[in-house]
Amino acid sequence: MTANEDHRHLTALRGRPWVAANEALAFVVELVAIGALAVWGFTAPEGVAASVALGIGAPAAAVVLWGLFAAPRARYPLPLAGVLAVKTLVLGGGVAAVHGTGHPVAAVVLAVVTVANTGCAEYFRRR
């Protein structure tokens, strides 16, 4: 995005506070997914070395994947289907990680919030 596009995006958010709130929620959901991957990795029962590798590697891989393909300023921008595939992998991995740490109800809540938030965000971003 150029500075002019950033300004237009911010101006568009000013008149629609629900869109700005949804964007903030999207950021929180992304952080929760990254954190859930880290917690899942560090609590893996495969041994200390595997737990450390998963605890650092899983969220690091998710961040790199997101930055390359799904971020607003992605290095390699993808069409909508590709962005949604990356988001499904990363955010769905976060949901699976929450479930894998023994919190199935929280995983369902996170899944519902993630799907609703991502659907709304992508709809409003492409309008």
Side-chain angles (χ1 to χ4, degrees):
M1 272 188 195
T2 65
N4 192 28
E5 289 172 335
D6 282 343
H7 178 65
R8 257 186 284 139
H9 184 69
L10 290 174
T11 303
L13 290 178
R14 257 188 223 122
R16 302 183 298 178
W18 65 90
V19 175
N22 196 62
E23 291 292 333
L25 179 60
F27 182 65
V28 170
V29 167
E30 294 160 15
L31 291 178
V32 167
I34 302 287
L37 288 168
V39 169
W40 168 79
F42 282 119
T43 60
E46 284 80 23
V48 175
S51 292
V52 170
L54 287 171
I56 294 171
V63 168
V64 168
L65 190 63
W66 193 276
L68 289 175
F69 303 110
R73 295 183 185 193
R75 176 111 168 123
Y76 304 103
L78 297 175
L80 178 59
V83 170
L84 291 178
V86 171
K87 287 185 176 192
T88 299
L89 186 62
V90 172
L91 300 176
V95 169
V98 170
H99 187 273
T101 56
H103 303 285
V105 174
V108 170
V109 170
L110 180 59
V112 169
V113 169
T114 299
V115 169
N117 173 260
T118 302
C120 290
E122 290 304 325
Y123 174 77
F124 286 117
R125 286 177 189 154
R126 300 197 188 297
R127 283 185 82 200

